[in-house]
Amino acid sequence: MFVDAEDLPDAGDLAADICIVGSGPAGLSVLDRLFESRLDIILLESGGLERNDERSAALNRGVSNLEEYPFSGARARAFGGTSKIWSGACVPLEPEDFERRAWVPYSGWPIGAEDIAPHMERAREIFCMVDDSGFAARLAASPFHGGDLEARVVQYSGPRDLGQTYRSRVALAENVKCVTGATVTALDVAESGKIVTGVRFSDLRHRSLRLRARVIVLAAGGIETPRLLLASGGRERGGLGNDHDVLGRYHMEHPMRSVGTVRLGSAARLVRPFTDLTAAGTAALEGTFGLSAERREADGLLNMHLRAYRYNRLEERSDIVEAKRAAASGGHAAVRALDMVRTLGPRGLPAGAVYGAWHFWNKSLAHAWFDRVRFVAFLEQEPDPQNRITLSGERDVHGCLLPHLGWRESRMMTDSVERSLRAIAAAFEERGLSEVKMGTEAVAHLQDYGGYGLHHMGATRMSDDPRTGVVDASCKVHGVENLYIAGSSVFPTGGAANPTLMISALGLRLGSRLKGTLSNRADCGIFSSRVSE
C-alpha cells in the first residue's frame, strides 16, 4: 500500500522488519525478492508517485568544485527514482572489471561475476531484455570487432520507469507499505555505534518522524547515501561506518568525451548497428566497442567504450559549429532555428542548408546515406581516494547539510585515454579505414558533445577490509550490525558500463540474502532487543 507522510499521526513511531530508504532501481530490486516473504517492509520515498520537479531540484542541490555540476538533473525523487529519467541502457560489467588489476590502485571486488550470475536472469526480466546473440553476430562482422577491438551489445529497456512496473504490486502487497513524501534526514545510532536504532525522516510540513526497523537498507543513490551516513553517528566519528575515513572517498563518474572521427566508405553499412537502434521486442539494441581485455591488460589501460554517431564533414566548419552552439541554448524549435540562421549569416547559409538537410534525413531514416562517424568515449575512472563526497556548509529545506563533491580527472585516466585511442586508430588503419582522426585535440570542434554519465559510484565502496571499504561483500556496513547499502555507491570500480543493470542484480542479491536470513533467524544478533537501544 501507499501512504503519504503527511497523513501519518504526529505521535507514535512506525515499525517494520526491514526499512528500505529509496525506491529507485536499487531499492525496488531489493524489495522484489521480499514480496513473498512474511516480513513487514516499509519503503521510504522522498518524492511522490510522480516527479515534482521544483521540489526535487531543491532537495537535490549540492556543492562542487566542478562548475555547474548537474546535481538535480542527475537524480529524481519519486517512486521509481532515477529510472524515471534514465536512457534505459543496460550493459553488464565485464568479468575483468571485478578482478584486481596491478596497474589500477584499489581495484578488485571481493565478489566476482559468478556471484552476480544467479541474479542476472531476474534483472534481465525486470528490464525486459531479450536474447541478443543474433545482434551480437552482426556486431562481430563490423570493422569495430576483432583483433584488439571488441564489440558489445547495449540493450535499451522498454519499461524504463520502474515506478510504473512496481506500482500495482506495491499497492496490493499486504506486507509492504511505501511512505511517500518522506525525506530521511539521519539515522539514530546506539551508543555503541554498532546498531541503527531508528530512521529519522521529515514530511513536507517539516515534521520530524521516526521509524524503527530490525534492518535498514540505504538505497538513496550514490550521492545521497554517503551524505546520510556522514550526517549520522556523530561528528566525532566522522559519520556512520567511517572508522577509517573511507566514507565518501573513491567517488567515480563515467566521463564522456568526443574522441574521434573516421571515414568508413563501403564499410558504413556494417556500422549501422552502432549508429541506429534496432527494435527487438520491448527492447532496442545498439552496438558499442572498445579494446579487448587482453590488450588493456598488456598495456595497463583502463576500460573505455566508444559509441558511434553519424557524422558529416560540414560539422568541422567553424560557422556551423557556432550555429549549432547557438541552437543548443534552448527555447522553442523556431527560435533555435532563427538563432542558427543569424549565426551562419548569408555566406554560411548554403552550407548550413546542406548540413541541415543531411542531419534531418539521417535522424529520420535509418537507411539514409552516410560515410563517416564520430565517437563519444564512455570512460572508466580509477578509484581515487581524493575524489570524495563530504558535507558542505549549506543546508536544504529540512536543515540537512548539502553534499559537497570534490572531483578531478587524474593523469592516469587521461594517459590511458590517449594510449587507448592510439591503439584504436592503429586497428582502424589495419582494416583499411581512412581519414582516421583520434584524440580530443583532433576533434576539438565536437567537445560540446562531452559531459558526464551521471553515474555516482564508489563512495561507499565494497571491500573485505574496512580500511579500504565501507561495506563488506554482502553490502553490510562494516561495524554496524543491521545496516546495508544498495546501489552503485558500493561499486569498487565502475568499468565502462552503464550501471543500472548491475545495480539491480546487486539489489536482488541483497534482497535474497535478507529474505533467507530474517526468515530463519528470529532472535539473535541484529534481531535481538538491542534494536530498541
Side-chain angles (χ1 to χ4, degrees):
M1 64 178 291
F2 289 93
V3 61
D4 194 289
E6 288 189 300
D7 295 329
L8 297 174
D10 291 326
D13 293 349
L14 294 174
D17 292 311
I18 301 176
C19 169
I20 302 174
V21 179
S23 68
L28 290 176
S29 294
V30 175
L31 180 64
D32 185 270
R33 303 289 78 181
L34 300 171
F35 278 113
E36 306 305 323
S37 71
R38 290 183 290 179
L39 301 165
D40 289 325
I41 299 112
I42 291 182
L43 189 64
L44 297 179
E45 169 52 51
S46 178
L49 290 177
E50 298 299 333
R51 289 182 68 197
N52 183 324
D53 290 341
E54 183 177 347
R55 178 171 175 267
S56 296
L59 288 174
N60 285 335
R61 288 188 303 119
V63 181
S64 177
N65 66 301
L66 298 172
E67 186 177 353
E68 297 181 353
Y69 184 80
F71 284 94
S72 297
R75 300 179 286 167
R77 297 192 185 225
F79 184 69
T82 307
S83 73
K84 290 188 175 296
I85 60 174
W86 73 314
S87 69
C90 294
V91 187
L93 287 173
E94 300 173 50
E96 296 79 13
D97 291 327
F98 294 91
E99 298 173 0
R100 182 185 177 278
R101 289 166 281 172
W103 65 96
V104 182
Y106 306 106
S107 62
W109 293 49
I111 59 175
E114 67 280 3
D115 297 298
I116 305 296
H119 309 282
M120 287 299 292
E121 182 178 354
R122 175 55 187 157
R124 290 173 63 88
E125 289 176 357
I126 290 172
F127 297 113
C128 296
M129 295 175 68
V130 299
D131 178 5
D132 57 23
S133 55
F135 186 77
R138 290 179 62 192
L139 301 183
S142 76
F144 297 161
H145 184 82
D148 286 337
L149 302 182
E150 186 173 283
R152 303 187 70 204
V153 179
V154 180
Q155 290 210 28
Y156 290 89
S157 170
R160 297 181 184 178
D161 182 354
L162 295 190
Q164 295 299 323
T165 301
Y166 283 93
R167 189 165 175 172
S168 61
R169 196 172 179 188
V170 170
L172 296 173
E174 295 182 359
N175 66 324
V176 178
K177 178 185 292 184
C178 179
V179 183
T180 57
T183 300
V184 175
T185 55
L187 306 179
D188 291 335
V189 186
E191 187 175 346
S192 66
K194 298 183 180 299
I195 297 285
V196 175
T197 60
V199 178
R200 297 279 177 179
F201 63 98
S202 295
D203 65 9
L204 286 174
R205 290 181 283 164
H206 307 299
R207 291 186 307 157
S208 182
L209 303 164
R210 188 172 186 265
L211 180 149
R212 292 180 296 107
R214 294 197 285 164
V215 167
I216 293 89
V217 178
L218 294 183
I223 291 177
E224 191 67 14
T225 290
R227 177 174 88 142
L228 285 171
L229 291 173
L230 287 165
S232 304
R235 286 300 186 91
E236 67 280 359
R237 293 194 178 105
L240 185 58
N242 198 26
D243 292 343
H244 299 277
D245 193 29
V246 179
L247 176 60
R249 294 187 182 274
Y250 304 98
H251 179 82
M252 297 173 291
E253 254 281 5
H254 281 136
M256 299 171 68
R257 299 288 183 270
S258 290
V259 294
T261 63
V262 66
R263 186 171 183 272
L264 299 165
S266 61
R269 62 184 180 82
L270 299 175
V271 171
R272 290 184 187 274
F274 294 87
T275 63
D276 307 338
L277 290 176
T278 299
T282 57
L285 309 178
E286 186 180 47
T288 182
F289 73 98
L291 292 173
S292 66
E294 293 77 15
R295 180 60 188 268
R296 296 197 308 269
E297 182 175 7
D299 289 357
L301 300 170
L302 294 167
N303 208 339
M304 179 177 77
H305 290 173
L306 273 61
R307 310 282 170 97
Y309 303 87
R310 300 183 185 195
Y311 179 71
N312 190 304
R313 283 198 65 185
L314 287 172
E315 294 181 72
E316 297 173 10
R317 285 180 52 132
S318 59
D319 52 357
I320 288 181
V321 171
E322 291 304 317
K324 290 173 68 176
R325 285 175 178 163
S329 60
H332 191 275
V335 175
R336 296 199 303 271
L338 192 57
D339 288 339
M340 287 191 72
V341 170
R342 289 197 189 105
T343 305
L344 284 167
R347 289 187 177 183
L349 277 176
V354 172
Y355 171 68
W358 178 90
H359 186 270
F360 174 79
W361 288 115
N362 273 273
K363 287 290 186 182
S364 304
L365 298 176
H367 295 290
W369 177 87
F370 70 99
D371 71 342
R372 287 176 171 83
V373 291
R374 61 178 174 85
F375 301 107
V376 173
F378 207 75
L379 309 178
E380 178 182 20
Q381 181 184 23
E382 84 279 10
D384 181 347
Q386 299 308 311
N387 286 336
R388 65 186 302 193
I389 295 168
T390 56
L391 296 178
S392 73
E394 298 184 28
R395 296 181 182 271
D396 65 17
V397 295
H398 296 296
C400 299
L401 292 172
L402 295 177
H404 179 278
L405 171 61
W407 189 88
R408 67 181 179 90
E409 294 183 13
S410 69
R411 179 59 196 168
M412 176 183 180
M413 190 184 79
T414 55
D415 174 70
S416 177
V417 171
E418 291 170 4
R419 291 191 292 126
S420 296
L421 292 176
R422 287 198 293 270
I424 292 171
F428 284 172
E429 290 167 355
E430 288 175 2
R431 287 160 170 73
L433 301 182
S434 61
E435 298 180 41
V436 180
K437 297 180 181 179
M438 300 298 284
T440 53
E441 291 184 7
V443 290
H445 61 290
L446 296 175
Q447 291 314 303
D448 290 343
Y449 290 109
Y452 305 98
L454 304 178
H455 303 149
H456 307 135
M457 304 170 289
T460 65
R461 68 197 312 262
M462 184 190 300
S463 174
D464 285 332
D465 186 345
R467 294 172 297 180
T468 57
V470 175
V471 302
D472 63 18
S474 65
C475 292
K476 186 182 77 68
V477 174
H478 285 295
V480 186
E481 296 184 33
N482 63 333
L483 181 60
Y484 293 79
I485 296 176
S488 54
S489 65
V490 306
F491 289 16
T493 54
N498 300 69
T500 306
L501 180 65
M502 189 57 58
I503 288 172
S504 180
L506 281 172
L508 293 165
R509 178 175 178 262
L510 175 55
S512 297
R513 181 185 186 279
L514 293 176
K515 180 180 179 181
T517 304
L518 270 70
S519 298
N520 296 325
R521 296 175 63 191
D523 189 29
C524 62
I526 62 176
F527 314 114
S528 73
S529 60
R530 285 186 294 156
V531 139
S532 62
E533 286 185 36

